[in-house]
Amino acid sequence: MTTEQLQNLDRQYVWHPFTHMSLWLADDPIVITHGEGVYVFDSDGRRYIDGTGSLWCNVHGHRVPAIDHAIRAQLDKIAHSTLLGLAGEPSILLAEKLIRIAPPGLAKVFYSDSGATATEVAFKIAVQYWWNLGHPEKTEFVAIEEAYHGDTVGGMSVGMTSAFHKPYRPLMFKVHYAGHASSPPPLAGGGRGKGPEGPVQSAQPVSSETSSELNSEPKRGTPPADPSPHPLPQGEGEKSLAAHRLESQLAAIEQILIRHHRTVAAISIEPLVMGAAGMIVHPPGFTRGVRELADKYDVLLIADEVATGFGRTGRMFACEHDSVTPDLLCIGKGLTGGYLPVAATLATQKIFDAFLGHPWEGRTFFHGHTFTGNALGCAAALASIDLMEQTHLVQQVATYAKILAEYLEPLKALSCVSEIRQAGYMVGIDLVADRATRRPFDPKQRIGAEICRRVRRHGVLLRPLGDTIVINPPLVTQPPQLAEIVAALKIELSQLAAEAGTHAGVDQRGDTVIAGDF
Ligand code: PMP
C-alpha cells in the first residue's frame, strides 16, 4: 500500500490516543512500517532515531534477535492461555525472575497488561488489604501533584490532572495531593505543561502542600500564595537547596498524613522521576523519606515504576537509588523490552498474606484480565531481562547518561531553554519565551510540538510534554546516536531562540489543554 493510502485509511478509521483528532485529521501522519535497532522507518523508507523509545518502553531497540527468537519459540508452544484456574510456564519463570531482580522483600507477582492496570491493581490491593485486616475506613490515598499513574479511573484519581480529567471528576475517589519539590522554585505562571507522553496542559505551579479532595476544585494552575513553608536561607548552595526541597516536600506529605492517616490506605509515588509531569526529578532521599513516613503513619507505599523501572534511571529500579522496598511495586513498559503489553504489580509477603483465608471469609482479590500473564509477553520479558543482564545494560545506561548530560550542557545557554532535568535516560528540556523571567510561551503556539516536528527533518523522533521536550530513547542507544538527537535539538532550539519575538510569551498559561500529538 502507498503511504497516501495508509494515511487515508488511518484518518478514516483510527482514533489516536491522547490526540486532538481535529488536528490529526488535517495532517499527514508518519506511518511506521518497520524498525531496526534504535531506528524506526516510515512507509517511504525514511529512517528516524526512536528518541521516545516508543513511548519510554523500548529497552534493546527493535527487532532484537534474542527476544524475537524467544517469542517465536513460545509461539511454537502456545500464544496464550488463562491464569484464571491454570498456571502457565512462562509466567511462572518470569515471576521467579522478577522477584529475584526486584527490591528485596517483594514476594508475589500479580500480572496485568498495561501500566494503568498495574497501578489500578495496586490501588485495589491497598484498599482491600486494609479491609481484610478489619480497617474498611482506610480507602483514601495520598499522591503527589502532577503525578501520572495511567488513564483508568483509579489512575486518574491518584494521578489527577485537572485539565484532562474534569469530565471524570464525579467518578474519582478521594485523594490528598501533596506538592512536588520541583526545581527550580516556582515562578508565577511559568513552568511546564504535563501530559502522558504528549498531551499538554497549562503550567502547574508548585505548591509545597496542597490537599485536594474529591469534587473539590483542584488547586493546580493557581500559584500558591506561599510557595514554601520553609523559605531557603540566603546563600545556601545547591546541595542544601535539594535538602531544603526534600524537607519541604516531606513536611507537606506529613501534614496530610497527620490529619488523614486513619483513613488513608496508601501513598503512591513515582520514585526518583515524575515522568509525565515533565521529567521532574525528586531530591535525593525522597523515596526513602516517603517510605519512613508510610511506616510511621501506618499506610502502604506504592511505587509506580512503570516509567522508571528496568534500567531507565541507571538502576534496575529507581527505588534502588534510595535502597527502598515498597509494599507494592508497579511495572510495565520496559518489562518486555518494550515488545508486548505485559505489566505487573509486585507485593510483599505481608500484603499477600492478608488475602489468605477460607473462600467464604471474602479475602480473595477478585481482579483479573483476559490476557493476564500472557505467554508470548512473558517469554519476551524473560528474554529481555536475560539480555539486560548479559549486556550489563543498566550499568551502561548509568555511564552513558553522564555522556548525555555533557552533550546537553550547551543547550542550557540557549535563551529559550529554562531548565534541563535528567535521570539516566529520562530527560526533560523546558522551553520558555524568555529565560530571564521564565516567561512561558503561549500554549496555543504549541512550541514543544513544533520543535518535535522540526527535529524530524534531522531523522529524530521526539515527543513533547507541553513545552518540555522529552528525550527517552531505547536503553541501548549509544553515545553517537545520543549526540545526533542533541545535535538536531540544538539546531532547532537555536533557530527558535533566533525567532524570539515571533513566538510571544504569556503571563499565565491558564488552564488550556492543547495538543501535543507529535
Ligand atoms: N505510571 C507511570 C509512571 C507512567 O509513566 C505511565 C505511562 N507513561 C503509566 C503509569 C501508564 O502506563 P500505560 O500507558 O502502559 O497504561
Side-chain angles (χ1 to χ4, degrees):
M1 237 182 231
T2 65
T3 296
E4 202 186 338
Q5 284 169 326
L6 288 167
Q7 288 170 332
N8 284 339
L9 287 174
D10 180 275
R11 278 187 288 256
Q12 192 172 349
Y13 293 115
V14 183
W15 189 343
H16 284 261
F18 270 116
T19 300
H20 285 296
M21 288 307 291
S22 46
L23 292 178
W24 183 268
L25 293 177
D27 205 355
D28 289 329
I30 290 180
V31 181
I32 298 299
T33 53
H34 58 294
E36 191 68 55
V38 300
Y39 298 101
V40 291
F41 296 81
D42 72 13
S43 45
D44 292 325
R46 272 188 295 263
R47 190 183 82 163
Y48 305 90
I49 297 181
D50 187 1
T52 65
S54 294
L55 220 52
W56 318 355
C57 69
N58 192 285
V59 175
H60 306 280
H62 300 277
R63 296 191 63 220
V64 183
I67 305 178
D68 292 359
H69 172 77
I71 294 172
R72 285 196 190 101
Q74 182 59 44
L75 204 48
D76 285 339
K77 296 182 187 171
I78 189 166
H80 177 69
S81 70
T82 182
L83 289 201
L84 276 70
L86 294 171
E89 186 183 22
S91 55
I92 293 170
L93 300 179
L94 178 59
E96 191 264 338
K97 182 156 280 186
L98 288 173
I99 293 305
R100 184 169 57 71
I101 64 170
L106 291 162
K108 298 285 173 183
V109 177
F110 191 97
Y111 287 110
S112 59
D113 42 35
S114 69
T117 53
T119 57
E120 197 82 7
V121 163
F123 303 142
K124 284 180 68 176
I125 288 179
V127 168
Q128 192 176 342
Y129 168 80
W130 291 112
W131 192 88
N132 286 356
L133 292 187
H135 290 287
E137 73 283 2
K138 280 169 95 70
T139 56
E140 299 165 11
F141 289 83
V142 177
I144 310 301
E145 264 198 349
E146 296 190 65
Y148 180 72
H149 297 295
D151 294 323
T152 51
V153 173
M156 287 192 300
S157 301
V158 181
M160 214 253 285
T161 301
S162 57
F164 298 150
H165 297 157
K166 266 183 196 151
Y168 318 112
R169 208 173 290 149
L171 306 183
M172 293 181 189
F173 51 74
K174 193 163 177 176
V175 177
H176 308 275
Y177 300 103
H180 61 75
S182 176
S183 167
L187 291 182
R192 54 194 71 94
K194 168 197 169 159
E197 301 92 73
V200 182
Q201 75 160 39
S202 62
Q204 299 295 336
V206 180
S207 65
S208 51
E209 183 191 346
T210 304
S211 175
S212 302
E213 296 184 357
L214 182 68
N215 290 334
S216 69
E217 196 56 36
K219 290 181 185 159
R220 298 170 176 201
T222 317
D226 172 14
S228 169
H230 304 279
L232 182 69
Q234 291 281 315
E236 289 203 18
E238 213 169 275
K239 194 161 174 214
S240 53
L241 187 66
H244 161 79
R245 290 199 177 110
L246 176 65
E247 193 188 322
S248 159
Q249 186 169 14
L250 292 177
I253 294 170
E254 184 156 20
Q255 283 310 310
I256 293 172
L257 286 172
I258 287 169
R259 285 206 303 275
H260 302 286
H261 67 97
R262 279 181 202 82
T263 48
V264 166
I267 175 160
S268 181
I269 58 166
E270 294 164 81
L272 191 63
V273 188
M274 294 173 65
M279 303 297 150
I280 292 171
V281 182
H282 291 299
F286 170 75
T287 307
R288 168 130 304 278
V290 176
R291 170 77 273 179
E292 286 165 7
L293 287 175
D295 290 342
K296 183 172 173 188
Y297 291 95
D298 208 16
V299 303
L300 301 181
L301 173 62
I302 298 172
D304 177 355
E305 293 232 30
V306 170
T308 53
F310 296 96
R312 196 149 282 281
T313 69
R315 303 293 289 264
M316 186 55 96
F317 295 102
C319 280
E320 292 174 24
H321 291 278
D322 272 358
S323 305
V324 158
T325 298
D327 299 289
L328 293 158
L329 176 74
C330 308
I331 52 177
K333 288 195 188 282
L335 168 56
T336 61
Y339 260 62
L340 286 163
V342 175
T345 308
L346 276 54
T348 59
Q349 191 69 42
K350 175 184 91 169
I351 301 287
F352 179 78
D353 286 347
F355 288 75
L356 300 178
H358 296 294
W360 52 89
E361 289 175 310
R363 293 199 180 140
T364 304
F365 185 47
F366 288 112
H367 185 109
H369 302 278
T370 303
F371 290 106
T372 293
N374 174 261
L376 290 180
C378 290
L382 279 162
S384 174
I385 297 167
D386 278 349
L387 195 56
M388 288 183 89
E389 290 177 339
Q390 284 157 20
T391 57
H392 305 289
L393 188 56
V394 181
Q395 293 93 314
Q396 182 179 298
V397 168
T399 306
Y400 289 169
K402 292 187 192 124
I403 297 174
L404 176 57
E406 284 166 24
Y407 293 158
L408 289 166
E409 193 59 32
L411 298 189
K412 292 182 182 164
L414 296 170
S415 60
C416 59
V417 173
S418 66
E419 191 186 22
I420 300 181
R421 293 171 298 279
Q422 184 193 359
Y425 271 22
M426 300 179 88
V427 176
I429 302 169
D430 287 349
L431 304 182
V432 286
D434 175 15
R435 187 174 49 174
T437 56
R438 291 182 62 222
R439 189 176 156 84
F441 286 109
D442 182 343
K444 291 201 177 96
Q445 296 182 61
R446 303 172 62 240
I447 292 295
E450 175 60 20
I451 292 301
C452 292
R453 175 184 272 279
R454 290 183 190 180
V455 296
R456 289 177 180 181
R457 32 184 198 234
H458 307 281
V460 174
L461 288 185
L462 294 175
R463 196 172 157 80
L465 291 160
D467 287 345
T468 299
I469 305 294
V470 170
I471 306 175
N472 214 330
L475 298 188
V476 287
T477 310
Q478 303 285 308
Q481 289 119 18
L482 295 173
E484 244 182 90
I485 296 171
V486 178
L489 261 178
K490 187 159 181 228
I491 293 169
E492 296 305 337
L493 293 180
S494 304
Q495 176 63 30
L496 177 69
E499 290 165 12
T502 323
H503 306 288
V506 288
D507 291 333
Q508 292 279 340
R509 285 172 61 96
D511 196 24
T512 321
V513 181
I514 56 167
D517 45 350
F518 291 103

